[in-house]
Amino acid sequence: MFTKILIANRGEIALRIIRTCNEMGIKSVAVYSDVDRKSPFVYSAFEAYPLGGKTSQESYLNWQKIIDIAKKCGAEAIHPGYGFMSENADFAEAVEKAGLVFIGPKADSIRIMGNKTAARKLMIKNNVPTVPGTEDAITDHAAAQKIAREIGYPVLVKAAAGGGGKGMRLVKEDKDFVQSVESAAREAKAAFNDEAVYIEKFVEEPRHIEFQILADAFGNVVHLGERECSVQRRHQKVIEEAPSSLLDNKLRTRMGEAAVNAAKACKYQNAGTIEFLVDKNKNFYFLEMNTRLQVEHPVTELVTGIDLVEEQLYIASGSALRIKDSFNSFNGHAFECRLYAEDAENNWVPSPGIIEYLNAAKGPGVREDSGVTKGSEISLYYDPMISKLCVWAADRHHALNRMLRALREYEISGIKTSIPFLIKVFEHKDFRAGNFTTKFIEEHQSELLGEDKALAEIASLAAILAQIEEQKKIKVISGNSHNNTISSNWKTTHRIRQLRT
Amino acid sequence: MFTKILIANRGEIALRIIRTCNEMGIKSVAVYSDVDRKSPFVYSAFEAYPLGGKTSQESYLNWQKIIDIAKKCGAEAIHPGYGFMSENADFAEAVEKAGLVFIGPKADSIRIMGNKTAARKLMIKNNVPTVPGTEDAITDHAAAQKIAREIGYPVLVKAAAGGGGKGMRLVKEDKDFVQSVESAAREAKAAFNDEAVYIEKFVEEPRHIEFQILADAFGNVVHLGERECSVQRRHQKVIEEAPSSLLDNKLRTRMGEAAVNAAKACKYQNAGTIEFLVDKNKNFYFLEMNTRLQVEHPVTELVTGIDLVEEQLYIASGSALRIKDSFNSFNGHAFECRLYAEDAENNWVPSPGIIEYLNAAKGPGVREDSGVTKGSEISLYYDPMISKLCVWAADRHHALNRMLRALREYEISGIKTSIPFLIKVFEHKDFRAGNFTTKFIEEHQSELLGEDKALAEIASLAAILAQIEEQKKIKVISGNSHNNTISSNWKTTHRIRQLRT
Amino acid sequence: MKIFANTRTRQFEYELKQENGNGFLFKDDQPVDAQFVALGNGRYSLIKDNQSYIINVSKKDDTYSVRVAGEHFDVKVEDERTRQVKALVNAASTVQGEKTIKAPIPGLVVKILAQEGENIKAENGLLILEAMKMENIIKAPFDCEVLKFEVSEKDTVTQNQVLLRIKGL
Amino acid sequence: MKIFANTRTRQFEYELKQENGNGFLFKDDQPVDAQFVALGNGRYSLIKDNQSYIINVSKKDDTYSVRVAGEHFDVKVEDERTRQVKALVNAASTVQGEKTIKAPIPGLVVKILAQEGENIKAENGLLILEAMKMENIIKAPFDCEVLKFEVSEKDTVTQNQVLLRIKGL
């Protein structure tokens, strides 16, 4: 096993990896941009080295510097996290050339699965079902439009090198095509330095269901079951759960086999994820493979009891898989909410700023993987995801209610977050019933936004009392509270919503 | 199921119960002393009513007022938590007489199991092994001393109505007997309004292993396996775990059967715990029954997936047990650390004060049940336990390392806590090997205290830099840090201890 | 004195009566039964009609940002006097022929899509704003002439900062 | 200038050199490679020799209470000057025939076990102090006469508060 590893990432995922290192007695090395000097992942690491700069390009995408630091500080391996260089085959190769271990798959696997068209061809060859669309990446926008017209709208435009919704556009009408492709290409160029895109058919009533796999250097591959990530906004996952409320054991077995075949087809090693779309007739299609640890890996950890980062480290250090069998049953049910610094009620604008107070939800069944703390500044330089709030409970019903409890309990001020929006999703009858697709947010937007009247009244009263308190001129005396008696007017209707589960 | 319940308790356990209420859509009612007005359990409850006063006698032990509030606010049941009136049969009876449900056993069961001598007789009659000692409670101290001499020292003096270490004394020599009995009786009088004590033989190389049981109104009883609570100081539990590293399946089955028999013998209902001592030859003796939810119930929840408070509510509302079979195997391993406001390095003095900053451990496998937050004042009026930090992992080895990670990660300032001491316990080779008794702390005290030299040096440097920063006259420039280069002197020996697992 | 609290979509009206330095709050002529206890760090424990709430308050400019039970409200508090002064000020201002386009979000100007002096049709792009790695196209609200860009490509802008001036056609 | 930091059991010595308003810290004549960045709330990120620590500092009287890696240290910081002043003061003070017994913990005086004027043998109880529901007997450190109790039963006392005065026999 390694004695020291460098983490080429930031935020919650860097801290997540540091925690496993601490538990395994491995020294963790953080690298950080100027903006991140005060971040929890920097002060939680065993060692920390500055990369300088503010933008990703200047810091977390600065390969050579990162590899130099790793070599000089005596790290034996580099963990790329997700995003940044995690799916960059050239980086993986450079790491290996420098005599270090890349904690992830071999460059060839990244390369083929990172190229959507090559991956698609490989899947077709290996009998893994795929969505109709272009075989090759396209840089000629006029040619792309021609193909889009042939497949028929709506189509998806996707960055060939992309992931995580960046450089992705849904095009419903021909007139929007050119602008969408240009914008997607520009985003792709900025994020991945590759402007090629490809076009595919948009699947009807799709649900996003993905399989976690683990593979070692000896050809052993297992899957750890599925995660459902259908609740998305602008192709960004918002809520994930395991297991899926859609799958029965038969479908799980078939999809699990396809996932294992996909991983074997590209000679995969380490942890990876096969993403599928499942349509309204329970047909499933290979969407893409994420050749790295996923943001949403904690829900799998919660229902399998496996520490995926620990398994990654064992595999990367040359061990054979310690898990011998694929998972077709799970312990309980888990949800993850991504907490974004954004204001859903104000057209989802980003909400940068200083976190003035933070008191996370705690107690039974709550797990938080956060990258911030009280006093942290949320900047515009990086992803707006500040934390992942997860719950575990014995079944989906209890997990839904536990997440509602945790979201309501979570105190944060100074910035706005997606929590109020997430609460409305967890209250929504269709989501609770497991009756939803990737279009859930789009279709129910109006029900998922808006002010609760009773709570608005409480907030208004609080604001008035806070202002009076601030002015320090008057002490407001309660109509009743100093009598130590019980209020005569029982306004219990007030907070029905807060208790609805 | 109930629609509203009152919680006749404070601190972390009140909040624990509120959380389950919130998840079940049950309205929770908090009652609070003047000292607790700003406590998390008060502002987390659905409703909150003042009891007035500061001492327990004036507030949480003020039965009539609590029952009055419960009736007036429309609560259907009262949850007593642990401590205070949770094992007071007269209170349970008064609650029932007021037409409310007491969330716990019937008064008769509390009465017989709360009277150590009656409980002992009942156990002997039902073939549950017991420790040699007095059959009856004693108020005549001279007579008590006579019996102690007959049994032979060391003996334990215990409050007949007691629990949780209050009113308990270990007497090693005859000359200390009278003072110990008087002191124990005084504590017992103050805490339980009953000064009777009893005397028993002190078991050799004892380990404290207890079984969680659940019983319904229809005579169904199951056990949920054991918790080991051998790490104690002054008879107060400090660390608990499930399962025990001592038990094999054979012993677990025998003890589990004895536990179920003990519960049946007293016609028990609701959640309860049968405490046993296991001696060096794996003989086990009934110690006492705790007729309430235990402080350490979370470790059982973590390895069984059961929400014990939810089960308590189902049983109290008249449902038959939803769990049909006793647990003889568990999912992974769990530890609980009780975090006390005390300074182990300074003779364990209490450390009251304001919590200036608090950032609890988070991430994979960490559960915290805390009764405080940043800004909370730890007073001298109540128990010094401020929080329970729990971890779950796939096995004991991983759980040990995860707890070490969590304890080191836990930021708290303004008061001193037992964390540094707990770290040393989790580092100790005998504890790690599962090789310990209830005398562990006493026997290893010197190894479990003392300053780590490398960290003392870091702390000293930090104090100097903090003082210079405070004076704002000089800006200290690092010998190296502004070069963005890697330090040439690799002092990695420095923090070996921090990584030892 | 009347006090008004406005959330994004609602207004609540209270009456504050003063006596011997103490204040008494009324709503619909009924005394308000509310204990409001500061916990520090912008936190308050509110017990209203015996119901208990933890409230987080953060003030930005003249807006109270209030978190309660997981929900989030921006509340503007005004008393009668401030409201009257404001009404006078508003009456004095006149409508301009020009319109400014403000940044709806803080972000980075990645591309300017129009020229000064150019006529742009409604819904066509004026400028691309990137925030947290997502691009947002700022479109013309109606057919208009671009008068002046107040920002350049690569500029970082704050929310509500003026991006450009246009004139309706 | 020399600076001394004392934990309960150890002393560390540093040298602070000043130049143009900047300070340079040395230990054993080597420059200290340490970045110390305030995060607010008494928190600091210390990176020393590239090793990273989160530090919580809380000051009480003249003691810095420092948490690092789960450990807890009470550190007293003194520079050469203060140390010299202190030495002078200490030299001036003389040993008293009387001794005070101070409260080792904060708590409640539940019972006074001796009378003023009474002679008490070493290890016998003088007073019972209760804190957080546990009783602690304060015993005579040596054979002594009780001169005066400075507290009464039911009094709440702080740590280091004088409980009584005794005189050795």
Side-chain angles (χ1 to χ4, degrees):
Chain A
M1 182 48 64
F2 310 117
T3 59
K4 187 190 275 194
I5 70 166
L6 182 143
I7 299 155
N9 214 303
R10 63 179 297 282
E12 71 84 17
I13 193 61
L15 184 53
R16 164 72 191 87
I17 297 161
I18 289 167
R19 282 175 167 142
T20 288
C21 288
N22 285 346
E23 294 177 13
M24 293 175 71
I26 295 169
K27 290 171 187 161
S28 55
V29 179
V31 289
Y32 59 93
S33 71
D34 288 348
V35 179
D36 279 332
R37 173 63 185 87
K38 298 181 180 181
S39 292
F41 81 91
V42 175
Y43 61 67
S44 302
F46 189 83
E47 292 175 15
Y49 297 90
L51 291 168
K54 293 183 169 185
T55 65
S56 300
Q57 278 75 13
E58 294 169 309
S59 53
Y60 302 103
L61 295 174
N62 187 346
W63 301 12
Q64 201 46 60
K65 189 158 198 177
I66 290 172
I67 292 173
D68 280 355
I69 291 171
K71 289 189 74 171
K72 283 190 192 147
C73 77
E76 298 139 309
I78 295 183
H79 196 305
Y82 53 71
F84 294 123
M85 296 176 308
S86 60
E87 294 181 289
N88 187 316
D90 296 342
F91 176 67
E93 224 158 50
V95 170
E96 302 274 346
K97 267 186 196 147
L100 305 171
V101 176
F102 178 79
I103 300 170
K106 295 293 165 201
D108 288 346
S109 309
I110 301 177
R111 206 163 269 136
I112 196 161
M113 299 313 269
N115 181 317
K116 304 283 185 299
T117 51
R120 199 178 138 76
K121 283 176 194 162
L122 186 66
M123 291 304 106
I124 291 168
K125 196 174 141 197
N126 284 272
N127 300 317
V128 178
T130 59
V131 179
T134 53
E135 294 285 311
D136 297 298
I138 291 171
T139 47
D140 174 345
H141 296 172
Q145 189 161 27
K146 203 175 148 198
I147 293 165
R149 285 172 184 154
E150 282 166 19
I151 294 175
Y153 292 99
V155 297
L156 274 182
V157 176
K158 292 176 152 189
K166 276 168 201 157
M168 193 189 286
R169 292 289 184 282
L170 170 61
V171 190
K172 290 179 178 171
E173 292 177 68
D174 195 53
K175 77 169 176 61
D176 299 330
F177 187 82
V178 173
Q179 193 176 66
S180 296
V181 166
E182 281 175 359
S183 167
R186 206 161 34 236
E187 251 181 51
K189 174 82 177 167
F192 318 108
N193 202 28
D194 177 0
E195 61 187 328
V197 296
Y198 76 126
I199 315 289
E200 72 179 25
K201 178 75 184 163
F202 191 66
V203 177
E204 281 187 294
E205 294 186 24
R207 294 177 70 141
H208 177 118
I209 292 172
E210 61 187 31
F211 275 70
Q212 175 69 52
I213 64 101
L214 286 177
D216 65 19
F218 310 99
N220 302 306
V221 183
V222 296
H223 76 79
L224 307 184
E226 80 280 7
R227 293 182 287 260
E228 169 144 21
C229 319
S230 296
V231 181
Q232 304 185 349
R233 199 181 74 84
R234 296 172 75 185
H235 303 289
Q236 278 274 17
K237 294 166 187 168
V238 173
I239 295 167
E240 298 98 346
E241 63 181 300
S244 164
S245 55
L246 183 73
L247 264 55
D248 52 29
N249 276 336
K250 213 174 127 193
L251 184 54
R252 178 173 294 119
T253 303
R254 284 173 53 220
M255 290 179 72
E257 279 169 10
V260 168
N261 286 344
K264 283 183 174 166
C266 67
K267 300 192 172 51
Y268 200 78
Q269 288 182 32
N270 218 294
T273 296
I274 319 290
E275 296 189 333
F276 296 102
L277 282 184
V278 183
D279 75 11
K280 55 185 180 183
N281 301 313
K282 294 203 181 179
N283 298 310
F284 64 92
Y285 306 101
F286 172 84
L287 194 56
E288 62 177 38
M289 179 167 191
N290 290 314
T291 57
R292 52 160 164 88
L293 191 65
Q294 295 281 78
V295 174
E296 59 271 24
H297 75 276
V299 292
T300 297
E301 295 185 327
L302 285 166
V303 297
T304 62
I306 291 165
D307 180 335
L308 281 166
V309 174
E310 181 178 349
E311 298 309 321
Q312 286 194 294
L313 294 174
Y314 271 98
I315 292 166
S317 70
S319 297
L321 276 191
R322 307 188 304 167
I323 297 144
K324 302 298 178 196
D325 299 307
S326 289
F327 274 67
N328 288 302
S329 70
F330 308 94
N331 178 33
H333 199 98
F335 282 103
E336 173 181 282
C337 281
R338 300 190 186 192
L339 305 189
Y340 289 101
E342 65 188 13
D343 184 2
E345 293 291 333
N346 184 14
N347 203 26
W348 310 88
V349 300
S351 182
I354 305 268
I355 297 178
E356 294 173 15
Y357 185 77
L358 180 60
N359 189 15
K362 298 193 187 78
V366 176
R367 164 176 170 179
E368 196 194 14
D369 287 73
S370 175
V372 299
T373 185
K374 178 176 182 329
S376 292
E377 180 170 359
I378 309 305
S379 78
L380 290 166
Y381 289 101
Y382 314 111
D383 196 86
M385 193 183 77
I386 56 170
S387 178
K388 301 179 325 200
L389 182 63
C390 296
V391 299
W392 178 93
D395 55 42
R396 190 171 190 268
H397 173 74
H398 281 82
L400 286 164
N401 293 344
R402 184 160 281 173
M403 182 59 92
L404 270 174
R405 189 268 290 173
L407 288 167
R408 288 171 181 149
E409 191 175 307
Y410 201 100
E411 287 179 73
I412 184 162
S413 70
I415 62 164
K416 295 201 174 69
T417 72
S418 45
I419 290 175
F421 173 78
L422 291 163
I423 287 175
K424 292 188 186 88
V425 176
F426 276 87
E427 286 176 341
H428 197 281
K429 67 177 195 321
D430 290 345
F431 180 69
R432 294 179 70 85
N435 178 22
F436 56 93
T437 71
T438 58
K439 294 172 184 166
F440 175 77
I441 292 179
E442 204 181 319
E443 287 170 358
H444 297 285
Q445 185 123 351
S446 64
E447 301 156 64
L448 301 174
L449 295 172
E451 291 179 344
D452 178 77
K453 194 184 166 214
L455 287 176
E457 185 176 335
I458 294 295
S460 296
L461 176 62
I464 290 173
L465 290 167
Q467 191 186 62
I468 295 173
E469 171 133 339
E470 212 176 83
Q471 294 167 342
K472 286 183 193 298
K473 286 179 200 158
I474 308 161
K475 182 173 164 45
V476 174
I477 305 294
S478 171
N480 212 337
S481 64
H482 283 260
N483 305 334
N484 270 1
T485 60
I486 295 179
S487 181
S488 52
N489 48 339
W490 295 98
K491 301 185 183 169
T492 44
T493 50
H494 251 50
R495 286 168 80 195
I496 293 303
R497 180 152 163 279
Q498 199 188 331
L499 270 177
R500 194 191 305 148
T501 52
Chain B
M1 183 46 66
F2 309 116
T3 60
K4 186 189 277 193
I5 71 166
L6 182 143
I7 300 156
N9 215 302
R10 64 179 298 282
E12 71 84 17
I13 192 62
L15 184 53
R16 164 71 190 87
I17 297 162
I18 290 167
R19 283 177 166 139
T20 288
C21 288
N22 285 346
E23 293 177 13
M24 293 176 72
I26 295 170
K27 290 172 187 161
S28 55
V29 180
V31 290
Y32 58 93
S33 70
D34 289 348
V35 179
D36 279 333
R37 172 64 185 88
K38 299 181 181 181
S39 291
F41 81 92
V42 175
Y43 61 67
S44 301
F46 190 84
E47 293 176 14
Y49 297 90
L51 291 168
K54 294 183 168 186
T55 63
S56 300
Q57 277 76 12
E58 293 169 309
S59 53
Y60 302 103
L61 295 174
N62 187 345
W63 300 11
Q64 201 46 59
K65 190 157 196 177
I66 291 172
I67 292 174
D68 280 355
I69 291 171
K71 289 189 73 171
K72 283 189 191 145
C73 78
E76 298 140 310
I78 295 182
H79 197 305
Y82 54 70
F84 295 124
M85 296 176 308
S86 60
E87 294 182 289
N88 186 316
D90 296 342
F91 176 66
E93 222 158 51
V95 171
E96 303 273 346
K97 266 186 195 147
L100 304 171
V101 176
F102 178 78
I103 300 170
K106 295 293 165 199
D108 287 347
S109 308
I110 301 177
R111 205 163 271 135
I112 196 160
M113 299 313 270
N115 181 317
K116 303 282 184 299
T117 50
R120 201 178 135 78
K121 283 176 194 161
L122 185 66
M123 291 304 107
I124 290 168
K125 196 173 141 196
N126 284 271
N127 299 317
V128 179
T130 59
V131 179
T134 53
E135 293 285 312
D136 297 298
I138 291 170
T139 48
D140 174 345
H141 296 173
Q145 189 161 24
K146 204 175 150 201
I147 293 166
R149 285 171 184 157
E150 283 167 17
I151 294 174
Y153 292 98
V155 297
L156 273 182
V157 177
K158 291 176 153 190
K166 276 168 200 155
M168 192 189 287
R169 293 289 184 282
L170 169 61
V171 189
K172 290 180 181 171
E173 293 178 66
D174 196 53
K175 78 170 176 59
D176 298 330
F177 187 81
V178 173
Q179 195 177 63
S180 296
V181 166
E182 280 175 359
S183 168
R186 207 161 34 235
E187 251 181 50
K189 174 81 177 168
F192 318 109
N193 201 28
D194 177 359
E195 61 188 327
V197 296
Y198 76 127
I199 315 290
E200 71 179 24
K201 178 74 183 164
F202 192 65
V203 176
E204 280 188 295
E205 292 186 26
R207 293 177 71 140
H208 176 119
I209 292 172
E210 60 187 31
F211 274 70
Q212 176 69 51
I213 65 101
L214 286 177
D216 65 18
F218 310 100
N220 302 306
V221 183
V222 295
H223 77 78
L224 308 184
E226 80 279 9
R227 293 182 287 260
E228 170 144 21
C229 319
S230 297
V231 181
Q232 304 185 350
R233 199 182 74 84
R234 294 173 76 184
H235 303 289
Q236 279 274 14
K237 294 165 188 168
V238 173
I239 294 167
E240 298 99 347
E241 62 180 302
S244 164
S245 55
L246 182 73
L247 264 56
D248 51 30
N249 277 336
K250 209 174 129 194
L251 183 54
R252 179 174 294 120
T253 303
R254 282 172 55 220
M255 290 178 73
E257 279 169 10
V260 168
N261 285 344
K264 283 183 173 165
C266 68
K267 300 192 171 53
Y268 200 78
Q269 288 181 32
N270 217 296
T273 295
I274 319 291
E275 296 189 333
F276 295 102
L277 283 185
V278 182
D279 74 11
K280 55 185 180 183
N281 302 312
K282 293 203 182 180
N283 297 311
F284 64 93
Y285 306 101
F286 171 83
L287 193 57
E288 62 177 36
M289 179 168 193
N290 289 313
T291 57
R292 49 154 166 92
L293 191 66
Q294 295 280 80
V295 174
E296 59 270 25
H297 74 276
V299 292
T300 297
E301 295 185 325
L302 285 166
V303 297
T304 62
I306 292 167
D307 180 335
L308 280 166
V309 174
E310 182 178 349
E311 298 309 322
Q312 285 194 296
L313 294 174
Y314 270 99
I315 292 167
S317 70
S319 297
L321 276 191
R322 308 188 305 166
I323 297 145
K324 303 300 179 196
D325 300 307
S326 288
F327 275 66
N328 288 302
S329 70
F330 308 95
N331 178 34
H333 199 97
F335 282 103
E336 173 180 284
C337 281
R338 301 189 186 193
L339 304 188
Y340 289 101
E342 65 187 14
D343 184 1
E345 293 291 333
N346 185 13
N347 203 26
W348 311 89
V349 300
S351 182
I354 305 269
I355 297 178
E356 294 173 15
Y357 184 77
L358 180 60
N359 190 14
K362 298 194 188 75
V366 175
R367 164 177 170 179
E368 195 194 14
D369 287 72
S370 174
V372 299
T373 184
K374 179 177 180 330
S376 291
E377 181 172 357
I378 309 306
S379 77
L380 289 166
Y381 289 102
Y382 314 111
D383 196 86
M385 193 184 77
I386 56 169
S387 180
K388 301 179 326 201
L389 182 63
C390 297
V391 300
W392 178 92
D395 55 41
R396 190 170 190 269
H397 173 73
H398 281 81
L400 286 165
N401 293 345
R402 183 160 282 172
M403 182 60 92
L404 270 174
R405 189 268 290 174
L407 289 167
R408 288 169 180 151
E409 190 175 307
Y410 200 101
E411 287 179 72
I412 185 163
S413 69
I415 60 165
K416 295 200 174 72
T417 72
S418 43
I419 290 174
F421 174 78
L422 290 162
I423 288 175
K424 293 189 185 88
V425 175
F426 276 87
E427 286 177 339
H428 197 282
K429 67 177 195 321
D430 290 345
F431 180 69
R432 293 179 72 85
N435 178 21
F436 56 94
T437 72
T438 57
K439 293 173 185 165
F440 175 77
I441 293 179
E442 204 181 322
E443 286 170 358
H444 298 283
Q445 185 122 349
S446 64
E447 301 157 65
L448 301 173
L449 294 172
E451 292 179 346
D452 178 76
K453 191 182 168 216
L455 287 175
E457 184 176 336
I458 294 295
S460 296
L461 177 61
I464 289 172
L465 290 167
Q467 191 186 62
I468 295 172
E469 170 133 338
E470 210 176 84
Q471 294 167 342
K472 285 182 194 302
K473 285 179 202 157
I474 309 161
K475 184 174 163 44
V476 174
I477 306 294
S478 172
N480 213 336
S481 64
H482 283 261
N483 307 334
N484 271 0
T485 59
I486 294 179
S487 181
S488 51
N489 48 340
W490 296 100
K491 302 185 183 169
T492 45
T493 49
H494 250 51
R495 284 167 83 196
I496 293 303
R497 178 149 166 281
Q498 199 188 332
L499 270 176
R500 194 191 306 147
T501 52
Chain C
M1 182 172 61
K2 284 209 173 88
I3 303 184
F4 306 95
N6 291 283
T7 65
R8 271 174 185 150
T9 60
R10 286 187 178 82
Q11 173 167 307
F12 299 92
E13 186 183 324
Y14 288 82
E15 173 91 26
L16 178 66
K17 295 181 184 170
Q18 294 185 44
E19 205 175 299
N20 304 328
N22 288 330
F24 299 87
L25 215 50
F26 289 78
K27 186 163 193 296
D28 305 329
D29 297 326
Q30 297 295 313
V32 174
D33 174 15
Q35 259 194 29
F36 193 66
V37 176
L39 308 180
N41 293 285
R43 304 170 79 218
Y44 297 91
S45 166
L46 170 66
I47 300 184
K48 177 173 185 287
D49 300 321
N50 301 118
Q51 296 192 11
S52 186
Y53 305 86
I54 176 78
I55 311 250
N56 301 83
V57 178
S58 151
K59 197 180 177 185
K60 271 177 197 145
D61 305 322
D62 62 338
T63 302
Y64 288 88
S65 195
V66 181
R67 190 211 71 94
V68 53
E71 303 285 329
H72 199 107
F73 300 91
D74 281 338
V75 189
K76 279 185 208 285
V77 179
E78 277 181 338
D79 60 31
E80 272 169 298
R81 271 189 304 262
T82 21
R83 177 166 282 206
Q84 283 158 2
V85 171
K86 223 176 187 178
L88 288 172
V89 172
N90 284 342
S93 70
T94 57
V95 180
Q96 302 286 319
E98 293 178 20
K99 194 174 165 9
T100 57
I101 304 274
K102 294 178 179 174
I105 51 171
L108 178 76
V109 178
V110 287
K111 198 171 176 194
I112 288 179
L113 303 171
Q115 309 269 327
E116 292 182 2
E118 192 180 353
N119 287 354
I120 303 290
K121 289 232 174 283
E123 293 301 309
N124 278 15
L126 295 167
L127 177 152
I128 299 175
L129 202 59
E130 184 194 279
M132 289 164 173
K133 303 288 157 201
M134 298 295 280
E135 290 196 353
N136 303 273
I137 300 174
I138 308 297
K139 295 175 177 173
F142 39 74
D143 294 357
C144 64
E145 182 194 340
V146 175
L147 296 176
K148 186 168 179 9
F149 277 96
E150 302 287 349
V151 294
S152 310
E153 289 184 6
K154 310 280 173 204
D155 279 5
T156 302
V157 298
T158 58
Q159 192 169 5
N160 290 325
Q161 184 176 335
V162 173
L163 299 172
L164 69 158
R165 301 180 187 285
I166 56 169
K167 196 170 75 177
L169 293 177
Chain D
M1 182 173 62
K2 285 209 174 91
I3 303 183
F4 306 95
N6 291 283
T7 66
R8 272 175 184 150
T9 59
R10 285 185 178 82
Q11 172 167 307
F12 299 91
E13 186 182 323
Y14 288 82
E15 173 90 25
L16 179 66
K17 296 181 183 170
Q18 294 184 47
E19 204 175 298
N20 305 325
N22 289 329
F24 299 88
L25 215 50
F26 290 77
K27 185 162 194 297
D28 304 331
D29 296 325
Q30 296 296 311
V32 174
D33 174 14
Q35 259 194 29
F36 194 65
V37 176
L39 308 180
N41 291 285
R43 303 172 78 218
Y44 297 90
S45 166
L46 170 65
I47 300 183
K48 177 173 184 289
D49 300 322
N50 302 118
Q51 297 192 9
S52 186
Y53 305 85
I54 176 77
I55 311 252
N56 300 82
V57 178
S58 152
K59 197 181 176 185
K60 273 179 193 144
D61 306 323
D62 62 339
T63 303
Y64 289 88
S65 194
V66 181
R67 191 211 71 93
V68 53
E71 303 285 329
H72 199 107
F73 300 91
D74 282 337
V75 188
K76 279 185 208 286
V77 178
E78 276 180 339
D79 59 32
E80 273 169 297
R81 272 189 303 261
T82 21
R83 178 167 280 206
Q84 282 158 3
V85 172
K86 224 176 184 178
L88 288 172
V89 172
N90 284 342
S93 69
T94 57
V95 180
Q96 301 287 321
E98 295 178 21
K99 194 173 163 14
T100 55
I101 304 274
K102 293 180 180 174
I105 51 170
L108 178 76
V109 177
V110 289
K111 200 171 178 191
I112 286 179
L113 302 171
Q115 310 268 327
E116 291 181 2
E118 193 179 352
N119 287 354
I120 303 290
K121 290 229 173 284
E123 292 301 308
N124 278 15
L126 295 166
L127 178 152
I128 299 174
L129 202 58
E130 183 194 281
M132 291 165 172
K133 303 289 157 202
M134 299 295 278
E135 291 195 352
N136 304 273
I137 300 174
I138 308 296
K139 295 175 177 175
F142 39 76
D143 294 357
C144 64
E145 182 194 341
V146 174
L147 296 175
K148 186 167 178 12
F149 277 96
E150 301 289 347
V151 294
S152 310
E153 290 183 7
K154 310 282 174 205
D155 279 4
T156 302
V157 298
T158 59
Q159 192 170 6
N160 290 326
Q161 184 176 333
V162 173
L163 299 172
L164 68 159
R165 301 182 187 283
I166 56 171
K167 196 170 78 179
L169 292 177

